[in-house]
Amino acid sequence: MRLIMLGAPGAGKGTQAKKIAEKYSIPHISTGDIFRANIKNGTELGKKAKTYMDQGLLVPDELVCDLVVDRVGQPDCEKGYVLDGFPRTIPQAESLDAALKAVGSKIDYAIDVDVPDENIISRMSGRRACLKCGATYHLKYAAPKKEGVCDTCGEALVLREDDKPETVQKRLNVYHEQTQPLIDYYTKAEILVTVDGTKDMEEVFQAITEILDK
Ligand code: AP5
Ligand code: MG
Ligand code: ZN
């Protein structure tokens, strides 16, 4: 099962992708998590990505495409994967399609987690992230067992640099301009499915599994 998660920043792509990955035993590939891990480890890629991410801008396509194409070619992706945060532009989608076509593969579903802008800003201010293992929490909707500490790995939780309200607004604008056109792109490809992302996390997940298990 090869899946793409679409949706605005904070729509719950990562939350749902993790649950999908667990249920169907496929890798969860988040380009945002990959960049954040690189920033934390001080790599060249991390240094380049950080200047864009902190401003709420997209990292240039050429820094993203090869990385993902390479990743989905790894042996653990043979049975499928869930892509979270990629593609995010039409050129990224085209480059993924071309790379998959070349090896006789294709995406099965692009799942759009639909949440209006009004809900996003409040959601983001409550998010806390673990930069070590990629786990995500929410002060109100998904609190960690111990305040400020990751349940999975024990690392201190942080507010992401790009989750400040002014940067969130910028990311929403970037989403509408550059990523939303993918909704049309995957509608035309007849693989788009939409779920209501304003429901609680379990209800959203149930809606997704109903589609995948059909
Ligand atoms: P990325 O990390 O992908 O961020 P994003 O797309 O902005 O999305 P988020 O991770 O912020 O939100 P999410 O949809 O995963 O929501 P979550 O599940 O955490 O990218 C960051 C940056 O990296 C980009 O801005 C860009 O610079 C760069 N980048 C990454 N990929 C790129 C690419 N392909 N090309 C170019 N640049 C790229 O949920 C949000 C919060 O809400 C959490 O606290 C969660 O607990 C809570 N929540 C989730 N679901 C619900 C629910 N149903 N009800 C209540 N609360 C909920
Ligand atoms: Mg995410
Ligand atoms: Zn952790």
Side-chain angles (χ1 to χ4, degrees):
M1 190 180 330
R2 286 175 289 269
L3 308 172
I4 291 171
M5 303 304 294
L6 291 176
K13 299 181 295 296
T15 301
Q16 298 301 327
K18 283 192 191 90
K19 293 163 89 71
I20 293 169
E22 199 179 324
K23 175 166 167 134
Y24 298 96
S25 303
I26 51 176
H28 166 212
I29 303 171
S30 158
T31 42
D33 286 353
I34 294 172
F35 289 135
R36 281 184 289 278
N38 274 276
I39 292 171
K40 188 160 188 269
N41 296 329
T43 69
E44 276 311 308
L45 176 65
K47 278 176 203 153
K48 284 185 195 152
K50 188 176 192 317
T51 58
Y52 299 96
M53 289 171 73
D54 284 355
Q55 296 178 70
L57 300 172
L58 294 184
V59 174
D61 291 341
E62 58 271 25
L63 291 181
V64 192
C65 290
D66 291 352
L67 185 144
V68 175
V69 167
D70 185 65
R71 181 66 190 86
V72 299
Q74 301 291 315
D76 65 331
C77 289
E78 256 165 37
K79 291 212 180 75
Y81 43 80
V82 50
L83 290 176
D84 160 17
F86 181 94
R88 259 181 146 90
T89 62
I90 297 279
Q92 289 182 17
E94 289 171 345
S95 101
L96 178 67
D97 279 352
L100 293 180
K101 200 171 169 198
V103 295
S105 173
K106 64 175 179 48
I107 297 295
D108 298 304
Y109 290 106
I111 303 170
D112 179 31
V113 183
D114 187 29
V115 177
D117 288 10
E118 304 86 86
N119 302 37
I120 297 283
I121 300 207
S122 68
R123 235 190 226 190
M124 301 297 246
S125 59
R127 171 163 61 184
R128 293 296 178 271
C130 173
L131 297 183
K132 192 169 172 196
C133 76
T136 297
Y137 301 87
H138 193 282
L139 297 182
K140 195 159 136 203
Y141 307 116
K145 290 194 185 81
K146 189 170 169 227
E147 199 187 317
V149 180
C150 179
D151 291 349
T152 315
C153 74
E155 184 89 350
L157 299 176
V158 297
L159 178 70
R160 264 169 49 179
E161 282 286 336
D162 58 349
D163 277 351
K164 296 179 194 119
E166 59 279 17
T167 315
V168 171
Q169 187 55 58
K170 181 84 165 288
R171 285 161 63 201
L172 278 170
N173 298 343
V174 167
Y175 168 76
H176 290 301
E177 278 165 30
Q178 302 194 54
T179 306
Q180 215 167 16
L182 291 177
I183 304 278
D184 260 2
Y185 182 93
Y186 290 114
T187 302
K188 287 197 184 112
E190 298 182 356
I191 57 168
L192 186 87
V193 292
T194 304
V195 293
D196 179 355
T198 63
K199 301 267 173 62
D200 78 48
M201 292 169 202
E202 284 309 322
E203 281 179 80
V204 178
F205 185 54
Q206 210 186 324
I208 292 174
T209 56
E210 271 169 26
I211 294 164
L212 300 182
D213 293 341
K214 241 194 327 220

